[in-house]
Amino acid sequence: MSMPPDDLPRSPTGRLPRWVPEEAADSQEPPPPPPAEWGGYAPASPPPAEWSGSAYASPPPADWSSSASEAPPPAEWSGSAYAGPPPGRSRRSLVTRLAVVVAVAVLGLWLATTVLPAFLRDADAPFLDGVVAGRVPEPAPEVAALADEMYLTQEGRDLLYMAEPELLGAEEFAGRCDRGDSGASGGGSAVGCYHSTAGGIETGGRIVIYTPTDPRLRGFVIETAAHELLHAAWNELTSDERDAAATSLATVLAGIDPADDIHTQIAGSVGTEPANRPTELFSYIGTQVWQEGGLDPALEALYARFIADRAALVGVHTAFEGQIDTMTAEVTSAQQALAQRQYDQSLAAAQLEADIASLAQYRATIEQEEARLAALPASERARSLLSWTWRDGTALPEAPAADLIADARALLARDEAEIATRGAAIQATAAEVAAEQTRVETMKTELDALFAQLNPTGS
């Protein structure tokens, strides 16, 4: 480095520290006085780029090392390092830095308490379910009970609770599962649906379930909820898993009796969206189809992630279908029995009426013969003979008219008594048949009402 004419060492800025002239004074002529503005080192501009924080990071020139111990530096200097800006500027810099620190801390707190938890709760990352608080919401009691009845695994429960199921009556359910939602179970009117958010990192899936009020339809609610949960489970599978499952499901469906209702149900749920067919197969077969030993092992392994006892779950469907079939059969049988009793009653009443009319004719004949016989002279009356065959085939051989008429009167009295007895019995059975008709009609009305509850638009 070139030196000025006075041959004195200088600071990196080119200015001459005070101690240098003082040290030089011991060995040479006093140097010219420094400029008036050199009363102390007070730079008018920020320190050079080499400064870190408030201390200069570079060492002083080599020339300074021999004299650094002979005289203390000015107050602003520590050894050969710059001690910082003037006091006023230092205070302003400290306040600015503190403000930045506070702002960063507030921003970090806001991110940590607001944005990050929400992000982690909604992220499509199942491994966070047991780690991040609030990712799996606390279920309502009725939802927790439903999870028990669905035989869910812990992963299945978490998936159900994260979907925050809404169990709605017919009025609240109206319009919630109109076409356009992801999957609606059942053919015809939807009784449940799974709303899923397309794309992004958020699953956002929500389950809506129609819940009839009749407790006899509990199995229907359980099956519907399980059906919709399996739609959510389908979204949890990898692309390869879904491809393999779709092939297995198609094979299972092909082996089911074409007359089985499941074919109609699947067709109704798929509708005009063939892309939905795999997930519908996964849900319908998962809740309705079981065979001894299970289905394809790989397929059962996928189901087992979410359902602990699929055989029992399918048993809910089977029991519910059996319950409906039993109630239907009971009503059908009662209707048939009633129809037979009504027919028998009608036939008996008609026979009674015919017998009463027939007996009336015989009575009239007897009365006519009695009148004719009474009009005859006594001599002719004694010689008058009659024969007759009674209405039931009883032969009355020829005999004096008076005797035969007496025998006919006896038969008439017998038949009148029988008709009276039979008429009373028919009246009694008519009351019984009427009561049975009321009972059967009530059964039918209740069954119709039960079936109406299976359709939220008809309840």
Side-chain angles (χ1 to χ4, degrees):
M1 180 178 77
S2 61
M3 299 292 290
D6 55 16
D7 196 27
L8 294 177
R10 283 170 166 74
S11 72
T13 62
R15 294 176 179 172
L16 187 67
R18 288 183 178 179
W19 60 270
V20 175
E22 292 173 357
E23 181 183 6
D26 296 335
S27 58
Q28 56 184 277
E29 294 279 327
E37 63 270 20
W38 280 42
Y41 183 61
S45 59
E50 294 89 335
W51 287 55
S52 174
S54 60
Y56 183 59
S58 297
D63 304 52
W64 291 19
S65 58
S66 61
S67 58
S69 60
E70 297 180 8
E76 293 88 341
W77 290 72
S78 175
S80 60
Y82 180 56
R89 176 164 182 165
S90 176
R91 283 194 298 270
R92 286 194 302 272
S93 176
L94 179 60
V95 171
T96 300
R97 290 168 185 160
L98 287 176
V100 171
V101 170
V102 170
V104 170
V106 170
L107 177 61
L109 180 63
W110 177 74
L111 290 173
T113 59
T114 305
V115 178
L116 184 59
F119 176 85
L120 294 177
R121 280 196 302 270
D122 295 335
D124 187 8
F127 66 87
L128 294 175
D129 292 349
V131 178
V132 179
R135 247 185 90 78
V136 180
E138 188 69 23
E142 60 269 22
V143 174
L146 193 59
D148 291 337
E149 295 171 292
M150 292 162 64
Y151 303 96
L152 299 184
T153 63
Q154 188 58 53
E155 183 176 359
R157 288 173 183 271
D158 289 347
L159 193 60
L160 179 69
Y161 299 160
M162 290 179 68
E164 298 179 325
E166 296 181 71
L167 310 180
L168 307 177
E171 184 175 348
E172 297 81 7
F173 184 79
R176 293 298 303 276
C177 287
D178 290 343
R179 270 300 174 192
D181 296 333
S182 176
S185 63
S189 297
V191 294
C193 54
Y194 172 67
H195 298 261
S196 61
T197 301
I201 62 169
E202 297 183 356
T203 55
R206 295 294 180 265
I207 289 176
V208 181
I209 302 169
Y210 164 59
T211 308
T213 58
D214 196 307
R216 292 174 294 179
L217 300 180
R218 182 62 178 175
F220 169 80
V221 176
I222 296 169
E223 181 180 341
T224 301
H227 179 104
E228 302 308 333
L229 174 71
L230 287 178
H231 281 314
W234 181 260
N235 288 349
E236 296 295 308
L237 305 181
T238 66
S239 177
D240 289 343
E241 288 174 331
R242 286 196 292 265
D243 290 343
T247 301
S248 297
L249 291 165
T251 301
V252 172
L253 186 65
I256 298 176
D257 183 354
D260 195 293
D261 290 341
I262 194 172
H263 296 283
T264 302
Q265 293 171 337
I266 291 173
S269 292
V270 172
T272 59
E273 299 293 336
N276 290 343
R277 186 173 179 80
T279 182
E280 293 298 345
L281 290 179
F282 190 66
S283 290
Y284 276 108
I285 291 175
T287 55
Q288 297 187 20
V289 180
W290 177 259
Q291 64 185 28
E292 191 63 32
L295 304 176
D296 174 66
L299 183 60
E300 290 294 350
L302 295 179
Y303 282 129
R305 284 178 50 187
F306 312 97
I307 302 171
D309 191 345
R310 201 175 72 81
L313 177 61
V314 175
V316 172
H317 163 77
T318 304
F320 173 68
E321 290 291 316
Q323 179 187 18
I324 293 296
D325 290 343
T326 298
M327 288 188 291
T328 302
E330 287 175 351
V331 171
T332 301
S333 177
Q335 287 177 322
Q336 292 173 344
L338 174 63
Q340 184 62 49
R341 291 190 64 179
Q342 288 174 327
Y343 173 78
D344 294 342
Q345 178 72 15
S346 176
L347 189 63
Q351 186 62 54
L352 179 66
E353 291 298 323
D355 290 344
I356 291 173
S358 173
L359 198 60
Q361 292 177 350
Y362 275 79
R363 183 188 301 110
T365 300
I366 291 173
E367 290 172 352
Q368 289 174 0
E369 287 298 320
E370 287 176 337
R372 183 188 67 79
L373 190 62
L376 292 176
S379 58
E380 290 186 19
R381 192 166 49 246
R383 296 193 301 271
S384 180
L385 298 175
L386 291 175
S387 63
W388 203 6
T389 299
W390 192 246
R391 69 186 191 92
D392 63 356
T394 301
L396 297 175
E398 187 177 61
D403 295 342
L404 187 137
I405 289 175
D407 291 341
R409 276 287 182 183
L411 293 173
L412 177 64
R414 181 202 69 181
D415 289 354
E416 285 179 338
E418 187 276 328
I419 284 177
T421 301
R422 184 152 45 98
I426 289 174
Q427 286 182 344
T429 56
E432 293 174 359
V433 169
E436 178 65 7
Q437 180 177 358
T438 300
R439 186 185 77 86
V440 172
E441 288 177 349
T442 300
M443 289 177 63
K444 180 64 165 57
T445 300
E446 290 179 350
L447 185 61
D448 289 343
L450 193 67
F451 285 157
Q453 284 198 50
L454 292 175
N455 185 345
T457 62
S459 57

